[in-house]
Amino acid sequence: MQVKYLHTMVRVLDLEKSIAFFRLLGLEETRRTESETGRFTLVFMAPPGQPECPVELTYNWDGDEGLPSDSRHFGHLAYAVEDIYEMCARLQAAGVTINRPPRDGHMAFVRSPDNISIELLQTGDSLPPAEPWSSMQNTGHW
């Protein structure tokens, strides 16, 4: 039996803030579904050229009282990036907390506006240690 990956779904509290966050990561909207009967919106976002690897942002129009609770039971989403330092600087400049800085030039963790843990991994070899990242402490948890 063959299995095909479809998507990862996460619930979001503020659809526009969540879309803006995933755009900062470089993802683009690939599809949107609005259901008047179900009272929800689904927004699929994927890395450019990889529409087969989307994250589905599920927004319930009437709210979701459980958000933004600690989403560690979910695990995390992981994305490879060309320059982890540049990505973390861009996210930080937009007000995103770098929970686990890329001290090793290879891995970092941030959280979305809905507390979803996002792992960023350097493509290829780790970058040489660089400031301010190599001396930056963890913030919160991931």
Side-chain angles (χ1 to χ4, degrees), residues 58-98:
T58 298
Y59 172 71
N60 293 308
W61 299 355
D62 299 321
D64 193 328
E65 292 179 23
L67 294 176
S69 65
D70 185 355
S71 300
R72 288 191 63 79
H73 64 280
F74 163 77
H76 63 267
L77 299 175
Y79 295 99
V81 298
E82 290 181 20
D83 184 325
I84 197 159
Y85 296 144
E86 182 182 321
M87 175 61 79
C88 287
R90 182 169 73 174
L91 292 171
Q92 191 175 52
V96 174
T97 298
I98 310 299

Short mmCIF file of all heavy atoms in Angstrom, two decimals, residues 58-98:
data_model
loop_
_atom_site.label_atom_id
_atom_site.label_comp_id
_atom_site.label_asym_id
_atom_site.label_seq_id
_atom_site.Cartn_x
_atom_site.Cartn_y
_atom_site.Cartn_z
N THR A 58 -6.04 26.34 9.85
CA THR A 58 -7.49 26.21 10.03
C THR A 58 -7.95 27.29 10.98
O THR A 58 -7.51 27.36 12.13
CB THR A 58 -7.84 24.82 10.61
OG1 THR A 58 -7.43 23.83 9.67
CG2 THR A 58 -9.33 24.69 10.86
N TYR A 59 -8.83 28.16 10.48
CA TYR A 59 -9.36 29.26 11.27
C TYR A 59 -10.85 29.05 11.46
O TYR A 59 -11.61 29.00 10.48
CB TYR A 59 -9.09 30.59 10.57
CG TYR A 59 -9.77 31.75 11.23
CD1 TYR A 59 -9.33 32.22 12.47
CD2 TYR A 59 -10.85 32.37 10.65
CE1 TYR A 59 -9.97 33.28 13.09
CE2 TYR A 59 -11.49 33.43 11.25
CZ TYR A 59 -11.05 33.87 12.48
OH TYR A 59 -11.67 34.92 13.10
N ASN A 60 -11.27 28.89 12.72
CA ASN A 60 -12.69 28.74 13.05
C ASN A 60 -13.27 30.13 13.31
O ASN A 60 -12.82 30.84 14.20
CB ASN A 60 -12.86 27.83 14.26
CG ASN A 60 -12.46 26.42 13.94
OD1 ASN A 60 -12.90 25.83 12.96
ND2 ASN A 60 -11.56 25.85 14.76
N TRP A 61 -14.27 30.49 12.52
CA TRP A 61 -14.83 31.84 12.57
C TRP A 61 -15.36 32.21 13.95
O TRP A 61 -15.35 33.38 14.33
CB TRP A 61 -15.95 32.00 11.56
CG TRP A 61 -15.51 31.79 10.13
CD1 TRP A 61 -14.24 31.60 9.66
CD2 TRP A 61 -16.36 31.77 9.00
NE1 TRP A 61 -14.25 31.45 8.31
CE2 TRP A 61 -15.54 31.55 7.86
CE3 TRP A 61 -17.73 31.90 8.82
CZ2 TRP A 61 -16.04 31.47 6.58
CZ3 TRP A 61 -18.23 31.83 7.52
CH2 TRP A 61 -17.40 31.62 6.42
N ASP A 62 -15.85 31.25 14.69
CA ASP A 62 -16.43 31.54 16.01
C ASP A 62 -15.41 31.44 17.13
O ASP A 62 -15.76 31.40 18.30
CB ASP A 62 -17.61 30.60 16.26
CG ASP A 62 -18.71 30.79 15.23
OD1 ASP A 62 -18.96 31.95 14.84
OD2 ASP A 62 -19.30 29.79 14.80
N GLY A 63 -14.13 31.40 16.78
CA GLY A 63 -13.06 31.34 17.77
C GLY A 63 -12.68 29.92 18.14
O GLY A 63 -13.28 28.95 17.67
N ASP A 64 -11.65 29.83 18.95
CA ASP A 64 -11.14 28.54 19.41
C ASP A 64 -10.55 28.79 20.79
O ASP A 64 -9.43 29.28 20.92
CB ASP A 64 -10.08 28.02 18.44
CG ASP A 64 -9.73 26.57 18.69
OD1 ASP A 64 -9.77 26.14 19.86
OD2 ASP A 64 -9.39 25.87 17.72
N GLU A 65 -11.32 28.48 21.82
CA GLU A 65 -10.95 28.82 23.20
C GLU A 65 -9.62 28.21 23.64
O GLU A 65 -8.98 28.71 24.55
CB GLU A 65 -12.06 28.40 24.16
CG GLU A 65 -13.32 29.21 23.99
CD GLU A 65 -14.42 28.76 24.94
OE1 GLU A 65 -14.11 28.17 25.98
OE2 GLU A 65 -15.59 29.02 24.61
N GLY A 66 -9.19 27.12 23.01
CA GLY A 66 -7.95 26.46 23.42
C GLY A 66 -6.70 27.16 22.92
O GLY A 66 -5.59 26.80 23.32
N LEU A 67 -6.84 28.16 22.06
CA LEU A 67 -5.65 28.81 21.49
C LEU A 67 -5.38 30.14 22.18
O LEU A 67 -6.32 30.81 22.58
CB LEU A 67 -5.87 29.06 20.00
CG LEU A 67 -5.98 27.82 19.14
CD1 LEU A 67 -6.30 28.21 17.70
CD2 LEU A 67 -4.73 26.99 19.18
N PRO A 68 -4.16 30.60 22.28
CA PRO A 68 -2.96 29.88 21.90
C PRO A 68 -2.34 29.15 23.11
O PRO A 68 -1.47 29.68 23.79
CB PRO A 68 -2.04 30.97 21.39
CG PRO A 68 -2.40 32.18 22.22
CD PRO A 68 -3.88 32.01 22.56
N SER A 69 -2.78 27.98 23.38
CA SER A 69 -2.19 27.20 24.46
C SER A 69 -0.87 26.60 24.01
O SER A 69 -0.49 26.69 22.85
CB SER A 69 -3.16 26.08 24.87
OG SER A 69 -3.31 25.17 23.81
N ASP A 70 -0.17 25.96 24.91
CA ASP A 70 1.11 25.34 24.59
C ASP A 70 0.87 24.20 23.62
O ASP A 70 0.19 23.23 23.93
CB ASP A 70 1.77 24.83 25.87
CG ASP A 70 3.15 24.27 25.62
OD1 ASP A 70 3.57 24.19 24.44
OD2 ASP A 70 3.82 23.90 26.59
N SER A 71 1.43 24.31 22.44
CA SER A 71 1.17 23.32 21.39
C SER A 71 2.23 22.22 21.32
O SER A 71 2.39 21.60 20.28
CB SER A 71 1.10 24.05 20.04
OG SER A 71 0.08 24.99 20.05
N ARG A 72 2.94 21.97 22.39
CA ARG A 72 4.00 20.95 22.32
C ARG A 72 3.44 19.56 22.03
O ARG A 72 4.16 18.71 21.53
CB ARG A 72 4.84 20.95 23.58
CG ARG A 72 5.73 22.19 23.64
CD ARG A 72 6.76 22.14 24.72
NE ARG A 72 7.72 21.08 24.58
CZ ARG A 72 8.78 21.10 23.76
NH1 ARG A 72 8.96 22.10 22.96
NH2 ARG A 72 9.63 20.10 23.75
N HIS A 73 2.19 19.31 22.36
CA HIS A 73 1.62 18.00 22.04
C HIS A 73 1.62 17.76 20.53
O HIS A 73 1.63 16.65 20.07
CB HIS A 73 0.19 17.89 22.57
CG HIS A 73 -0.76 18.84 21.93
ND1 HIS A 73 -0.85 20.16 22.30
CD2 HIS A 73 -1.62 18.68 20.91
CE1 HIS A 73 -1.75 20.76 21.55
NE2 HIS A 73 -2.24 19.89 20.69
N PHE A 74 1.65 18.84 19.76
CA PHE A 74 1.69 18.74 18.30
C PHE A 74 3.07 18.35 17.81
O PHE A 74 3.21 17.65 16.83
CB PHE A 74 1.25 20.08 17.69
CG PHE A 74 1.63 20.23 16.25
CD1 PHE A 74 0.92 19.60 15.26
CD2 PHE A 74 2.71 21.00 15.88
CE1 PHE A 74 1.27 19.71 13.94
CE2 PHE A 74 3.07 21.14 14.56
CZ PHE A 74 2.35 20.49 13.59
N GLY A 75 4.12 18.81 18.45
CA GLY A 75 5.48 18.64 17.95
C GLY A 75 5.91 19.93 17.30
O GLY A 75 5.84 20.99 17.91
N HIS A 76 6.34 19.88 16.04
CA HIS A 76 6.75 21.11 15.36
C HIS A 76 6.70 20.92 13.85
O HIS A 76 6.62 19.80 13.35
CB HIS A 76 8.16 21.52 15.80
CG HIS A 76 9.23 20.53 15.43
ND1 HIS A 76 9.64 19.54 16.29
CD2 HIS A 76 9.94 20.35 14.29
CE1 HIS A 76 10.57 18.81 15.71
NE2 HIS A 76 10.77 19.27 14.49
N LEU A 77 6.73 22.05 13.16
CA LEU A 77 6.93 22.07 11.72
C LEU A 77 8.41 22.33 11.50
O LEU A 77 9.03 23.07 12.29
CB LEU A 77 6.12 23.20 11.07
CG LEU A 77 4.61 23.15 11.24
CD1 LEU A 77 3.99 24.41 10.65
CD2 LEU A 77 4.04 21.92 10.57
N ALA A 78 9.00 21.79 10.47
CA ALA A 78 10.43 22.00 10.20
C ALA A 78 10.61 22.48 8.77
O ALA A 78 9.98 21.95 7.84
CB ALA A 78 11.21 20.71 10.42
N TYR A 79 11.46 23.50 8.61
CA TYR A 79 11.76 24.04 7.29
C TYR A 79 13.27 24.20 7.16
O TYR A 79 13.93 24.70 8.06
CB TYR A 79 11.10 25.40 7.07
CG TYR A 79 9.59 25.32 7.05
CD1 TYR A 79 8.85 25.65 8.17
CD2 TYR A 79 8.93 24.89 5.91
CE1 TYR A 79 7.46 25.57 8.15
CE2 TYR A 79 7.54 24.80 5.89
CZ TYR A 79 6.82 25.14 7.01
OH TYR A 79 5.46 25.04 6.99
N ALA A 80 13.82 23.81 6.00
CA ALA A 80 15.22 24.07 5.69
C ALA A 80 15.32 25.48 5.12
O ALA A 80 14.46 25.90 4.35
CB ALA A 80 15.73 23.05 4.67
N VAL A 81 16.36 26.20 5.51
CA VAL A 81 16.56 27.57 5.04
C VAL A 81 17.97 27.73 4.48
O VAL A 81 18.90 27.04 4.91
CB VAL A 81 16.30 28.61 6.16
CG1 VAL A 81 14.85 28.53 6.63
CG2 VAL A 81 17.23 28.41 7.34
N GLU A 82 18.13 28.64 3.51
CA GLU A 82 19.43 28.84 2.87
C GLU A 82 20.45 29.49 3.79
O GLU A 82 21.64 29.22 3.70
CB GLU A 82 19.27 29.68 1.61
CG GLU A 82 18.57 28.95 0.49
CD GLU A 82 18.45 29.81 -0.75
OE1 GLU A 82 19.20 30.78 -0.91
OE2 GLU A 82 17.57 29.47 -1.57
N ASP A 83 20.00 30.42 4.65
CA ASP A 83 20.90 31.12 5.57
C ASP A 83 20.15 31.31 6.89
O ASP A 83 19.30 32.20 7.01
CB ASP A 83 21.32 32.46 4.98
CG ASP A 83 22.34 33.19 5.86
OD1 ASP A 83 22.25 33.10 7.11
OD2 ASP A 83 23.21 33.88 5.30
N ILE A 84 20.45 30.48 7.85
CA ILE A 84 19.71 30.49 9.12
C ILE A 84 19.88 31.79 9.86
O ILE A 84 18.94 32.27 10.51
CB ILE A 84 20.08 29.26 9.98
CG1 ILE A 84 19.00 29.07 11.05
CG2 ILE A 84 21.49 29.37 10.54
CD1 ILE A 84 18.95 27.69 11.64
N TYR A 85 21.04 32.41 9.76
CA TYR A 85 21.25 33.70 10.44
C TYR A 85 20.38 34.79 9.81
O TYR A 85 19.78 35.60 10.50
CB TYR A 85 22.72 34.10 10.40
CG TYR A 85 23.65 33.17 11.14
CD1 TYR A 85 24.92 32.90 10.66
CD2 TYR A 85 23.26 32.54 12.32
CE1 TYR A 85 25.79 32.06 11.33
CE2 TYR A 85 24.11 31.68 13.00
CZ TYR A 85 25.37 31.45 12.49
OH TYR A 85 26.22 30.60 13.17
N GLU A 86 20.35 34.82 8.48
CA GLU A 86 19.53 35.81 7.79
C GLU A 86 18.05 35.62 8.12
O GLU A 86 17.33 36.58 8.37
CB GLU A 86 19.76 35.70 6.29
CG GLU A 86 19.00 36.71 5.47
CD GLU A 86 19.23 36.52 3.98
OE1 GLU A 86 20.36 36.21 3.57
OE2 GLU A 86 18.25 36.69 3.22
N MET A 87 17.60 34.36 8.12
CA MET A 87 16.19 34.09 8.43
C MET A 87 15.85 34.53 9.85
O MET A 87 14.84 35.18 10.09
CB MET A 87 15.87 32.61 8.25
CG MET A 87 14.44 32.25 8.66
SD MET A 87 13.13 33.10 7.74
CE MET A 87 13.15 32.12 6.24
N CYS A 88 16.70 34.18 10.82
CA CYS A 88 16.43 34.55 12.21
C CYS A 88 16.47 36.06 12.39
O CYS A 88 15.65 36.62 13.13
CB CYS A 88 17.42 33.86 13.14
SG CYS A 88 17.10 32.09 13.34
N ALA A 89 17.37 36.74 11.70
CA ALA A 89 17.42 38.21 11.77
C ALA A 89 16.14 38.82 11.21
O ALA A 89 15.59 39.77 11.77
CB ALA A 89 18.65 38.73 11.03
N ARG A 90 15.66 38.27 10.10
CA ARG A 90 14.42 38.78 9.49
C ARG A 90 13.23 38.57 10.41
O ARG A 90 12.42 39.46 10.61
CB ARG A 90 14.19 38.10 8.14
CG ARG A 90 12.95 38.61 7.44
CD ARG A 90 12.85 38.15 6.03
NE ARG A 90 12.51 36.74 5.99
CZ ARG A 90 12.24 36.09 4.88
NH1 ARG A 90 12.32 36.71 3.72
NH2 ARG A 90 11.92 34.83 4.91
N LEU A 91 13.15 37.38 11.01
CA LEU A 91 12.05 37.10 11.93
C LEU A 91 12.13 38.00 13.17
O LEU A 91 11.13 38.57 13.60
CB LEU A 91 12.07 35.62 12.35
CG LEU A 91 11.74 34.62 11.25
CD1 LEU A 91 12.02 33.20 11.73
CD2 LEU A 91 10.31 34.76 10.79
N GLN A 92 13.33 38.13 13.73
CA GLN A 92 13.52 38.95 14.92
C GLN A 92 13.16 40.42 14.63
O GLN A 92 12.52 41.08 15.45
CB GLN A 92 14.96 38.83 15.39
CG GLN A 92 15.22 39.42 16.75
CD GLN A 92 16.63 39.15 17.21
OE1 GLN A 92 17.59 39.41 16.49
NE2 GLN A 92 16.76 38.61 18.41
N ALA A 93 13.55 40.93 13.47
CA ALA A 93 13.24 42.31 13.10
C ALA A 93 11.73 42.53 12.99
O ALA A 93 11.24 43.64 13.18
CB ALA A 93 13.92 42.67 11.78
N ALA A 94 10.99 41.45 12.72
CA ALA A 94 9.53 41.54 12.62
C ALA A 94 8.86 41.28 13.96
O ALA A 94 7.64 41.17 14.04
CB ALA A 94 9.02 40.55 11.58
N GLY A 95 9.67 41.16 15.03
CA GLY A 95 9.11 40.99 16.37
C GLY A 95 8.93 39.55 16.82
O GLY A 95 8.36 39.30 17.88
N VAL A 96 9.44 38.58 16.06
CA VAL A 96 9.34 37.17 16.44
C VAL A 96 10.47 36.85 17.43
O VAL A 96 11.63 37.20 17.20
CB VAL A 96 9.44 36.25 15.20
CG1 VAL A 96 9.48 34.78 15.60
CG2 VAL A 96 8.29 36.53 14.24
N THR A 97 10.11 36.19 18.54
CA THR A 97 11.11 35.76 19.52
C THR A 97 11.83 34.53 18.99
O THR A 97 11.20 33.58 18.54
CB THR A 97 10.43 35.42 20.86
OG1 THR A 97 9.79 36.60 21.35
CG2 THR A 97 11.42 34.91 21.88
N ILE A 98 13.15 34.55 19.06
CA ILE A 98 13.95 33.38 18.68
C ILE A 98 14.11 32.55 19.96
O ILE A 98 14.92 32.88 20.81
CB ILE A 98 15.33 33.79 18.11
CG1 ILE A 98 15.18 34.85 17.00
CG2 ILE A 98 16.09 32.57 17.63
CD1 ILE A 98 14.38 34.43 15.80
#
